[in-house]
Amino acid sequence: MASVAVDRKRRVWVLSTGTTSYVVHAAADDRLVQLYWGARLSTADAVGLAGRSGEPFTTAPYGLPLDVAELLPVDGGLRWGVPSLQVTFPGGVRSLELVLISDDVVEEEHGRRLDLVLTDRHFPLRVVLHHRVSEGSDAIERWVTLRHTDPAGWPHDVALTVHRADSGSWLLPELPDYRYSAVWGAWAAESQLRRERLPGGELTLGSRHGITGHHANPWIMVDDGTATEERGEVWSVALAWSGTWRLTAQRRFEGRAAVTAGFGHDGVTWRLGPGDELTTPPVLGVYGDGGFGAVSRAWHRHARTRVLPRPGEVRPVLYNSWEATGFDVAEAGQLELARKAADLGAELFVVDDGWFGGRLDDTAGLGDWWPNPDRFPNGLRPLADAVRTLGMAFGIWVEPEMVNPESDLYREHPEWVLHHPHRHRDTLRGQLVLNFAREDVREWAFDWLDRLVGDHGISFLKWDMNRAFAQAGWPERAAGPDTAGDGARDGDQDRLWIDHTRNVYAVMDRLRAHHPALRIESCAGGGGRADLGILARTDEVWTSDNTDGHHRQSIQHGFSQILPAGVMAAWVTDAARTPLAYRFHVAMAGVLGIGGDLRAWAPEQLTQARGLVGRYKEIRAAVQFGEQHRLGAEPGRGLSAVQYVQGGDVVVLLYRPHADLGPTPGVLRLAGLDPDARYEEVGTSPEGDGAASASPVTGRLLMHAGLPIRDRLGSGDWASALVRLRRLPQ
Ligand code: DGJ
């Protein structure tokens, strides 16, 4: 299905997935332009696009400039749009002039890659535009490699400065109007979906925090303003990167729009010395014509088939102690919680912050990664073993990228943090950021994590990151002579913005390779590092520190636009504005966890929780691996539902936060079913008593007449229900 067709005569390349085609053309002056991105075309049709009249792009003085259609518009020549690539050459020359020198189609294990190789007309820079299509995914993946080619005759010590190196620009087709969807938010309010008219000019989303960020997430969807959850064409772009980033959508008065995205943020430069290479992270594009829901499902499929390290593995129900004990972590208290958690059916017990060094609160201890001797006089082993004896796996919280000034590590290595000479070292949450770009810091982190995991048989790391970068300097690599005296090139301290993230990835990858049973949760003060880059080496994401059942609905709704439910960690806690069943039903829409103080739960709450955990285990394969459909009104506001379909298994989680004046809707129309198959209901009570209620009905009936829901919700506020259906053999 995934194919790359080449017509060298007409200089056209056609990349196709199961449903989509993406057509590239080299214009006469070697500019690479996107001719098409949309529903799959035949190769003949796609190639024919190159010779058609009516080509809207022109280089006339006041026409619509060609660069809006370019795959990687450079800073240079007759271009006035947003550059995707900006480089300064020796002598301050800033205008790139690229010529196409070759195209290569490479067979890969899961698909095909197209490399279009360009080189600057004069300076020693090679630019390769990589494209990939993979089986089982509808995403078109693109990235760029820059190389200082150091040709004969060129002075060997002259570096190039890269100011912007996006992974690719995506042209949107001519539409009567443009609307974008994206998420914004804040700590404890991540992933709030906004859907607005794309303004004229430039709209930039991004992060300068050092991580993906709570305030925006690196993706955008664009439609013509009429798409719905179920219908309409939608074009979407996402960047697989966990450091700072920038995504710019430009909309031209002349009627076209394009999106360019890449790592790094304004002002950050990359020094490219002779022989150096810079590879950008992937940017991916997904097109769909089944509304926002279909595009989300395509992203979820992509994450499952091409991103996650263990996509087929069921995520366990975890218990995490953070909301119960805070920093007050000690062996006896954790064990008491572990017994209660095991009794509820938890499969993984995670000790959160507070177990190490002098970490009695958030002012001290980060960096001193050994068990606190007062709290764990015999180390962590006794607790880890006891947890395993209770039948659960053992997990632990770490924050490897941080240090408190009040720590042995900082006293020993004050130079390890991000800092500039003559400047403050501003703390946030009492901590400073370790410069993970440094090799010694990276090795130190790997060593203690490797030992910690190996010595205790740790199955799960909650890898946290609780503050943004500031005073992000690396004096040894700052401009000037070779101050470190280590032969390292000077003047490239900005690389820390990129290399920090790369080394976080590298440490995670090495840990996983050393400990194949280890699983990792990505956390950054809640959901500050949730993206397709981190998901290639983690198994789930801590979605938000906000565990209020109601608030979680909009957070989870935004999260689900790109990321699948199988990585969305969701706990039931003591944030008790909503009833226990409602909180469970919200958390059961992802990877269920429990974070309440079980010592204070009443016996009937424990019984109810035990039943719901059991019920979750029956439905979780559909939730974690199924196709997700978002149904009904805006989650958290009106009556809404999330439906999952995995083969013949159908799960519907239904929510009505407030009883409206007037009757509750009587039915909910389901989606994604086989119209001719018959479905029967399984286990109608929240506890899952296995009782079937009504007689089987067809998928057609459920999708067009709907599933009766009024009786399931009753009349009060915070009503929720779980419905499970099974397709009967035909
Ligand atoms: C932020 C995380 O999001 C919380 O779940 C918790 O682990 C705290 N950090 C611990 O400091």
Side-chain angles (χ1 to χ4, degrees):
M1 282 285 213
S3 65
V4 178
V6 180
D7 184 322
R8 294 221 164 80
K9 198 160 140 260
R10 279 187 265 193
R11 311 224 295 171
V12 175
W13 297 267
V14 185
L15 294 114
S16 293
T17 70
T19 63
T20 305
S21 289
Y22 183 81
V23 185
V24 175
H25 171 53
D29 61 358
D30 277 359
R31 291 177 189 235
L32 294 174
V33 293
Q34 180 192 311
L35 287 184
Y36 176 82
W37 176 27
R40 189 179 166 119
L41 300 177
S42 70
T43 303
D45 277 353
V47 168
L49 286 169
R52 287 203 317 171
S53 61
E55 170 56 59
F57 306 106
T58 158
T59 48
Y62 301 110
L64 179 64
L66 192 63
D67 53 293
V68 76
E70 284 189 69
L71 266 51
L72 196 74
V74 299
D75 174 16
L78 299 173
R79 295 176 176 89
W80 305 276
V82 182
S84 300
L85 178 62
Q86 280 181 297
V87 178
T88 304
F89 297 103
V93 177
R94 292 195 65 139
S95 195
L96 277 121
E97 292 186 10
L98 299 180
V99 288
L100 180 64
I101 54 170
S102 68
D103 64 315
D104 302 307
V105 178
V106 184
E107 294 292 322
E108 295 188 321
E109 195 188 343
H110 299 291
R112 276 163 201 82
R113 198 178 83 219
L114 167 69
D115 291 346
L116 298 171
V117 184
L118 301 115
T119 184
D120 189 85
R121 225 178 263 287
H122 176 77
F123 292 100
L125 176 68
R126 195 179 68 191
V127 181
V128 184
L129 275 62
H130 307 276
H131 311 73
R132 176 181 285 143
V133 279
S134 306
E135 301 303 340
S137 167
D138 272 313
I140 313 260
E141 189 173 340
R142 300 174 52 197
W143 70 103
V144 171
T145 304
L146 305 178
R147 188 177 171 80
H148 189 310
T149 50
D150 187 25
W154 191 256
H156 277 243
D157 57 349
V158 178
L160 316 178
T161 305
V162 179
H163 300 271
R164 182 165 182 152
D166 281 359
S167 299
S169 178
W170 303 77
L171 173 68
L172 299 158
E174 214 165 1
L175 298 174
D177 200 352
Y178 293 98
R179 178 175 63 169
Y180 77 97
S181 308
V183 286
W184 65 336
W187 172 78
E190 296 86 340
S191 304
Q192 301 300 303
L193 183 64
R194 57 174 167 163
R195 189 158 279 158
E196 292 161 11
R197 196 160 188 234
L198 186 65
E202 294 162 17
L203 170 80
T204 294
L205 313 175
S207 158
R208 300 187 184 92
H209 292 77
I211 50 169
T212 328
H214 300 82
H215 303 91
N217 203 264
W219 64 263
I220 194 165
M221 294 187 187
V222 180
D223 73 300
D224 67 0
T226 65
T228 64
E229 194 60 28
E230 299 86 21
R231 271 177 288 280
E233 290 187 289
V234 177
W235 291 260
S236 56
V237 172
L239 185 72
W241 180 245
S242 318
T244 67
W245 57 276
R246 215 168 15 182
L247 181 155
T248 305
Q250 54 173 320
R251 179 178 184 170
R252 311 250 341 168
F253 181 82
E254 297 92 331
R256 295 303 282 264
V259 173
T260 181
F263 63 178
H265 60 280
D266 292 315
V268 166
T269 59
W270 186 272
R271 181 188 189 279
L272 207 61
D276 284 353
E277 212 167 72
L278 175 65
T279 301
T280 71
V283 64
L284 300 105
V286 167
Y287 158 82
D289 67 356
F292 299 110
V295 162
S296 294
R297 286 188 288 282
W299 282 109
H300 300 166
R301 268 196 301 279
H302 176 77
R304 283 196 297 268
T305 55
R306 298 273 77 93
V307 180
L308 288 166
R310 300 274 171 173
E313 198 176 275
V314 164
R315 302 298 318 135
V317 175
L318 70 70
Y319 179 85
N320 179 298
S321 61
W322 173 246
E323 293 208 19
T325 52
F327 290 103
D328 196 8
V329 171
E331 190 176 317
Q334 295 293 303
L335 196 52
E336 193 187 348
L337 284 169
R339 287 203 191 93
K340 301 238 175 223
D343 185 52
L344 289 191
E347 299 155 308
L348 165 66
F349 183 83
V350 184
V351 177
D352 211 280
D353 200 349
W355 60 269
F356 53 92
R359 187 75 168 168
L360 305 185
D361 54 33
D362 64 9
T363 62
L366 285 173
D368 297 344
W369 296 104
W370 51 84
N372 178 299
D374 299 328
R375 297 174 160 200
F376 295 94
N378 301 305
L380 289 171
R381 255 281 166 203
L383 177 63
D385 288 343
V387 164
R388 282 187 282 266
T389 306
L390 287 166
M392 297 182 290
F394 182 69
I396 203 152
W397 179 95
V398 291
E399 195 177 0
E401 298 149 81
M402 297 293 158
V403 65
N404 286 117
E406 185 48 47
S407 67
D408 288 355
L409 182 73
Y410 188 70
R411 282 184 281 271
E412 207 176 315
H413 287 296
E415 78 286 7
W416 275 12
V417 298
L418 298 180
H419 69 285
H420 286 296
H422 320 298
R423 295 289 168 235
H424 290 296
R425 299 184 181 195
D426 283 329
T427 56
L428 265 178
R429 208 193 187 214
Q431 62 200 53
L432 295 165
V433 184
L434 287 173
N435 183 352
F436 238 63
R438 292 175 63 119
E439 211 178 297
D440 45 9
V441 173
R442 183 193 65 204
E443 290 308 300
W444 162 85
F446 174 76
D447 285 348
W448 72 258
L449 283 161
D450 187 44
R451 244 178 297 117
L452 179 73
V453 172
D455 289 353
H456 301 94
I458 287 172
S459 308
F460 182 90
L461 286 179
K462 176 176 176 182
W463 182 307
D464 204 348
M465 197 289 188
N466 279 300
R467 65 155 288 179
F469 292 12
Q471 289 106 13
W474 185 355
E476 291 88 339
R477 304 291 289 247
D482 181 2
T483 44
D486 62 0
R489 292 193 190 91
D490 289 336
D492 61 353
Q493 66 173 338
D494 270 7
R495 64 181 303 133
L496 70 87
W497 290 97
I498 307 282
D499 278 350
H500 184 108
T501 302
R502 285 176 166 175
N503 282 346
V504 168
Y505 287 174
V507 172
M508 288 181 173
D509 291 345
R510 268 170 82 193
L511 281 174
R512 294 188 81 107
H514 272 222
H515 307 281
L518 178 69
R519 302 292 173 261
I520 303 178
E521 178 176 54
S522 170
C523 173
R529 193 150 59 188
D531 59 79
L532 294 167
I534 205 75
L535 279 182
R537 58 268 305 162
T538 54
D539 304 279
E540 58 186 70
V541 171
W542 179 226
T543 313
S544 176
D545 278 341
N546 188 333
T547 54
D548 172 277
H550 184 221
H551 290 158
R552 265 292 176 131
Q553 289 191 266
S554 61
I555 294 171
Q556 297 185 177
H557 181 65
F559 188 96
S560 78
Q561 301 297 314
I562 297 284
L563 303 176
V567 305
M568 186 179 74
W571 309 340
V572 176
T573 70
D574 299 325
R577 179 155 62 111
T578 63
L580 192 62
Y582 197 93
R583 277 176 272 155
F584 260 98
H585 286 151
V586 170
M588 285 160 87
V591 178
L592 176 67
I594 299 171
D597 187 352
L598 299 180
R599 297 167 300 191
W601 286 23
E604 55 282 10
Q605 285 178 304
L606 292 169
T607 304
Q608 192 185 5
R610 197 174 303 115
L612 285 158
V613 170
R615 185 75 163 139
Y616 177 70
K617 289 178 183 169
E618 292 166 21
I619 62 155
R620 70 175 154 189
V623 172
Q624 296 183 12
F625 310 129
E627 298 271 293
Q628 188 189 70
H629 298 265
R630 299 175 291 246
L631 308 175
E634 196 183 325
R637 293 199 186 273
L639 188 140
S640 73
V642 205
Q643 182 201 324
Y644 306 85
V645 184
Q646 193 211 21
D649 221 355
V650 182
V651 169
V652 186
L653 286 155
L654 195 61
Y655 315 95
R656 193 198 53 215
H658 304 295
D660 288 326
L661 207 57
T664 290
V667 290
L668 176 79
R669 288 165 70 159
L670 301 189
L673 305 181
D674 175 349
D676 297 320
R678 290 164 69 76
Y679 291 82
E680 76 171 356
E681 196 167 333
V682 197
T684 48
S685 80
E687 280 75 32
D689 57 13
S693 63
S695 48
V697 291
T698 62
R700 183 171 286 106
L701 189 86
L702 289 165
M703 291 192 291
H704 294 283
L707 174 81
I709 57 167
R710 190 171 296 140
D711 293 347
R712 300 173 199 270
L713 292 174
S715 55
D717 287 348
W718 308 121
S720 63
L722 162 61
V723 183
R724 186 176 173 202
L725 302 159
R726 184 184 299 133
R727 189 178 62 203
L728 296 175
Q730 306 235 3

